[in-house]
């Protein structure tokens, strides 16, 4: 085993010197850690975007790095299209749910598509300022979402999002509507 590690390290140094750790098990990346396929590169880009956007709460960095300026967001109103629209959506969500987090449950990539299944958790302490504003409720929500991203030239050019909006409204206490 030790000999195999030395051979892998020596090989990587001779080929280009980019390996920082030895890998005895095959991985989806080459010895330099770069994804082998376009699908793997797209998957890595989505996971980095999730980390920047949701863990670091930095929509500016996340959006600027991976979304195309002319992004088509099939889950958003016309005024929230493009990379700038995604940035605005993120800022509005974090204003309403300062503790908002996203847990990745599953991610699959094939060709130019990446499908991400997540759980979004947060407490609404601010107004949710979308087409139909929702005043702060102080309630916690946990919602499963499924995103599909289509890539072109390393950028997300189209996105779809599915979630149970009715369940979210029930968790916030805004459904059924008060009369």
């Amino acid at each position: 085993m030790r000999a195999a590690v030395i051979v892998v390290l020596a090989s990587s140094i001779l080929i280009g010197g980019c390996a920082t750790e030895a890998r005895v098990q095959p991985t989806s990346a080459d010895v330099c850690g770069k994804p082998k396929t376009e699908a793997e590169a797209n998957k890595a880009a989505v996971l980095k975007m999730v980390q920047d956007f949701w863990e670091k709460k930095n929509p500016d960095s996340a959006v600027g790095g991976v979304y195309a300026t002319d992004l088509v967001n099939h889950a958003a109103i016309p005024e929230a299209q493009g990379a700038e629209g995604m940035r605005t959506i993120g800022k509005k969500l974090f204003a309403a749910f300062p503790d908002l987090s996203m847990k990745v449950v599953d991610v699959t990539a094939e060709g130019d598509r990446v499908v991400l299944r997540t759980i979004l958790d947060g407490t609404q302490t601010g107004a949710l300022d979308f087409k139909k504003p929702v005043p702060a409720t102080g309630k916690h929500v946990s919602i499963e979402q499924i995103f599909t991203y289509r890539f072109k030239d390393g950028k997300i050019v189209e996105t779809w999002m599915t979630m149970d909006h009715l369940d979210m409204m029930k968790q916030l206490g805004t459904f059924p509507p008060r009369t």
Side-chain angles (χ1 to χ4, degrees):
M1 173 102 150
R2 191 177 196 74
V5 170
I6 292 169
V7 170
V8 169
L9 282 172
S11 299
S12 68
I13 291 169
L14 292 172
I15 306 173
C18 57
T20 57
E21 65 180 61
R23 293 189 184 114
V24 178
Q25 297 291 328
T27 68
S28 61
D30 66 15
V31 292
C32 296
K34 296 177 185 164
K36 285 184 178 180
T37 66
E38 179 184 358
E40 289 296 319
N42 294 343
K43 180 178 173 180
V46 166
L47 292 173
K48 181 176 181 340
M49 178 272 299
V50 167
Q51 181 181 34
D52 287 348
F53 202 106
W54 298 103
E55 291 176 27
K56 296 179 182 175
K57 294 186 179 3
N58 189 348
D60 291 326
S61 170
V63 169
V66 72
Y67 287 101
T69 56
D70 59 348
L71 166 78
V72 176
N73 184 344
H74 295 280
I77 61 174
E79 297 81 18
Q81 294 299 312
E84 191 57 40
M86 287 303 297
R87 190 175 282 114
T88 300
I89 290 168
K91 289 178 179 180
K92 287 182 175 191
L93 285 171
F94 289 129
F97 299 87
D99 65 342
L100 198 60
S101 67
M102 179 183 279
K103 176 185 172 192
V104 174
V105 177
D106 194 21
V107 60
T108 304
E110 188 171 325
D112 65 350
R113 307 290 166 117
V114 177
V115 178
L116 185 69
R117 189 166 58 97
T118 67
I119 296 175
L120 198 66
D121 277 298
T123 305
Q124 188 199 12
T125 59
L128 186 54
D129 186 24
F130 284 125
K131 195 169 187 174
K132 282 196 149 197
V134 178
T137 64
K139 296 196 176 180
H140 184 82
V141 296
S142 182
I143 303 292
E144 188 170 332
Q145 299 177 305
I146 299 174
F147 295 88
T148 303
Y149 301 99
R150 185 175 71 82
F151 279 78
K152 183 177 179 187
D153 300 326
K155 297 280 186 181
I156 297 172
V157 294
E158 246 180 317
T159 184
W160 296 261
M161 185 268 295
T162 303
M163 68 179 246
D164 188 340
H165 289 88
L166 181 59
D167 185 37
M168 184 175 82
M169 293 292 120
K170 285 179 180 178
Q171 289 182 46
L172 289 174
T174 61
F175 190 86
R178 295 182 184 135
T179 55

